Amino acid sequence: MKPLFTRGPSPESRIVVLGLVATALILVNLYTDWLDPVRERLSSLAAPFYWITGTPSRVGDWAEDQLRTREELVEENSRLKHQVMLLEQQTQLLAAVRAENTQLKELMNSAESVDQRVLVAQVIGVSPDPLEHVLIIDKGRSDGVRDGTAIMDASGLLGQVVEAGDFSSRVLLITDANHALPVQVLRNSLRAVAEGTGDLYRLKLRHLANTSDIREGDLLLSSGLGGRFPAGYPVGEVIAVKRDPGKAFADVEVQPRGLMNRSRFVLAVIGNEDIDPTQGFVPGARD
């Protein structure tokens, strides 16, 4: 009679069997290619698990690369901004130097055409009073500048020194309402007096008869009368002539040739010192 319950293999026997099976599989894998399809199949099945288990590491590496890349970009952007600022500053300085050199060359060309001795001066200030047109230059008595010294730029006459200090001087522009100078028309040598109007861009001719031969476009030169300004220097160009039959004199507007509010460097004509410092003023002429 068989027993109701049979006892299975012991754990020791199971281990032995598994060891024999493993050994057999190893020998078969080493000396045959029977297990290659199985191994490939198992590798294909395990690949997704390897990819999933490696995801945290890949995410960490990606985040680190992104953070490093962003920091590098921010640093590079800041460095490029600084370089752009430096280049812009250098460009502005270069443009200023070029303009300065151009103005100095023009002044030198003008100086060659001046018979008298001239001195290059720099404008260092302007009068804060809007009712007077006055410049301050960096040359004074120690440089040979005196009251009444004529001042010009590369384009034409600007004014005259009204107060010469030891190392700087005040220059009254020809456009000031208290200034007047004798001029003549280049085309026909017609003489007149050009007065300042208080406008940096306009002069007017005083007491010029309606029948005078003057027209728009005429160039006015300093006549040299009165001993204030040297003769033959450009003063301005006639831009308007108005004749009213009911008036004895014509209204003539003149645009100054000199750059009244733009010249940084000027020429002081210091060759003629025997002049009357009161010439060229029209007391009480301010409008």
Side-chain angles (χ1 to χ4, degrees), residues 200-211:
L200 285 171
Y201 307 100
R202 189 169 64 91
L203 301 170
K204 65 180 179 180
L205 298 186
R206 182 177 60 175
H207 300 159
L208 193 64
N210 260 332
T211 57

Side-chain angles (χ1 to χ4, degrees), residues 137-265:
I137 61 174
D138 64 347
K139 295 294 185 290
R141 293 185 178 276
S142 60
D143 304 293
V145 176
R146 301 290 185 266
D147 290 356
T149 296
I151 304 297
M152 61 181 296
D153 64 5
S155 301
L157 287 175
L158 294 179
Q160 58 184 301
V161 173
V162 293
E163 184 180 341
D166 290 335
F167 305 104
S168 64
S169 302
R170 288 167 54 87
V171 178
L172 184 70
L173 299 181
I174 61 175
T175 54
D176 189 274
N178 284 332
H179 192 279
L181 75 154
V183 297
Q184 64 181 19
V185 179
L186 176 62
R187 178 173 55 86
N188 56 14
S189 298
L190 176 68
R191 294 191 183 92
V193 175
E195 288 184 347
T197 63
D199 185 341
L200 285 171
Y201 307 100
R202 189 169 64 91
L203 301 170
K204 65 180 179 180
L205 298 186
R206 182 177 60 175
H207 300 159
L208 193 64
N210 260 332
T211 57
S212 299
D213 181 14
I214 191 168
R215 65 185 70 159
E216 294 182 11
D218 278 342
L219 179 63
L220 302 182
L221 306 177
S222 57
S223 67
L225 298 179
R228 168 57 57 185
F229 294 98
Y233 293 162
V235 174
E237 180 180 338
V238 176
I239 58 174
V241 179
K242 299 178 182 178
R243 292 182 171 88
D244 187 347
K247 295 182 179 179
F249 303 107
D251 293 329
V252 182
E253 295 185 3
V254 178
Q255 182 178 6
R257 290 291 297 270
L259 304 179
M260 302 297 163
N261 61 343
R262 287 181 288 173
S263 294
R264 183 179 178 185
F265 294 95

Side-chain angles (χ1 to χ4, degrees), residues 25-234:
L25 290 175
I26 292 173
L27 293 175
V28 170
N29 184 52
L30 289 175
Y31 297 104
T32 68
D33 56 358
W34 295 349
L35 296 179
D36 289 348
V38 177
R39 187 171 58 253
E40 293 176 358
R41 182 63 178 170
L42 290 175
S43 298
S44 299
L45 293 175
F49 295 99
Y50 289 131
W51 187 87
I52 293 173
T53 56
T55 297
S57 177
R58 289 194 301 275
V59 171
D61 294 341
W62 176 84
E64 184 178 355
D65 291 341
Q66 292 297 317
L67 181 61
R68 183 168 57 250
T69 301
R70 184 177 183 278
E71 291 177 350
E72 292 174 353
L73 289 175
V74 171
E75 182 180 355
E76 183 178 5
N77 186 45
S78 177
R79 185 172 65 254
L80 290 175
K81 285 183 177 179
H82 292 164
Q83 291 178 355
V84 168
M85 291 177 63
L86 291 175
L87 289 175
E88 288 179 349
Q89 181 186 19
Q90 293 174 359
T91 301
Q92 292 173 358
L93 291 176
L94 180 60
V97 170
R98 282 181 177 174
E100 194 170 289
N101 288 340
T102 299
Q103 191 172 16
L104 286 173
K105 287 180 180 178
E106 292 175 348
L107 279 176
M108 292 301 98
N109 292 335
S110 298
E112 292 178 357
S113 63
V114 177
D115 295 333
Q116 298 172 324
R117 189 162 67 95
V118 296
L119 178 69
V120 177
Q122 182 175 348
V123 177
I124 59 175
V126 297
S127 173
D129 186 353
L131 297 180
E132 67 175 8
H133 296 176
V134 174
L135 301 179
I136 312 298
I137 61 174
D138 64 347
K139 295 294 185 290
R141 293 185 178 276
S142 60
D143 304 293
V145 176
R146 301 290 185 266
D147 290 356
T149 296
I151 304 297
M152 61 181 296
D153 64 5
S155 301
L157 287 175
L158 294 179
Q160 58 184 301
V161 173
V162 293
E163 184 180 341
D166 290 335
F167 305 104
S168 64
S169 302
R170 288 167 54 87
V171 178
L172 184 70
L173 299 181
I174 61 175
T175 54
D176 189 274
N178 284 332
H179 192 279
L181 75 154
V183 297
Q184 64 181 19
V185 179
L186 176 62
R187 178 173 55 86
N188 56 14
S189 298
L190 176 68
R191 294 191 183 92
V193 175
E195 288 184 347
T197 63
D199 185 341
L200 285 171
Y201 307 100
R202 189 169 64 91
L203 301 170
K204 65 180 179 180
L205 298 186
R206 182 177 60 175
H207 300 159
L208 193 64
N210 260 332
T211 57
S212 299
D213 181 14
I214 191 168
R215 65 185 70 159
E216 294 182 11
D218 278 342
L219 179 63
L220 302 182
L221 306 177
S222 57
S223 67
L225 298 179
R228 168 57 57 185
F229 294 98
Y233 293 162

